[in-house]
Amino acid sequence: MLFGVQRGDSAVFVSSQPREAYTPSTTWPESYAVAEVEFFKYIARQAPPDSLHLKCLQFFSRLVLGFSFSTYAMKTIVMHILNVTPVSTWRRRHLRKRLVFIRDSLHVCVRAKSLNHFIVGNQRFPQDINLPPDVKTIKAYNLFHHLEQQPTAYTQAIHDYEVLHEWFNRIVLDED
């Protein structure tokens, strides 16, 4: 259990312990976990009954275990995609297409050495979820900033993506 204080009437809390890696020097970092849960509830209200967006997230959260990609990075990619694609395209018949799109989005982010935080600086965040105004307007934090700063981390991420791509093809596309 963590101690947290709600920031105004928003879905942002100040927490007693850092939950995300992007606030290591802050004594009382902000946590966006509640806002993320609210976002998934927002999507669920719009999603068709056979929506597989959470299954896609679960698949990639398990697939990246043991690689240099965090489950949080995969969740961030999925949230970005959910925020810009109609939820009707997450149905069972679109499963392969969605999984390939998530995989390809990871590739683009690794190559660009950039994955923007989903909430901080996101002008497209749903208005139905209350955030402090400064959270939407400040510059987005790059979750992959370490890939810019550490060449060995970037090389490892490229290698991990190539292996992950092969595994993905074997599992999802039945290719060897």
Side-chain angles (χ1 to χ4, degrees), residues 116-117 120-123 134-142:
N116 285 339
H117 190 278
V120 175
N122 186 351
Q123 298 289 327
D134 65 305
V135 171
K136 289 183 182 180
T137 58
I138 60 177
K139 186 177 185 240
Y141 180 82
N142 178 7

Side-chain angles (χ1 to χ4, degrees), residues 90-102:
W90 290 83
R91 293 192 136 136
R92 194 172 310 276
R93 67 179 175 260
H94 303 119
L95 178 61
R96 253 189 202 190
K97 188 175 184 178
R98 285 298 128 233
L99 291 173
V100 168
F101 192 68
I102 295 167

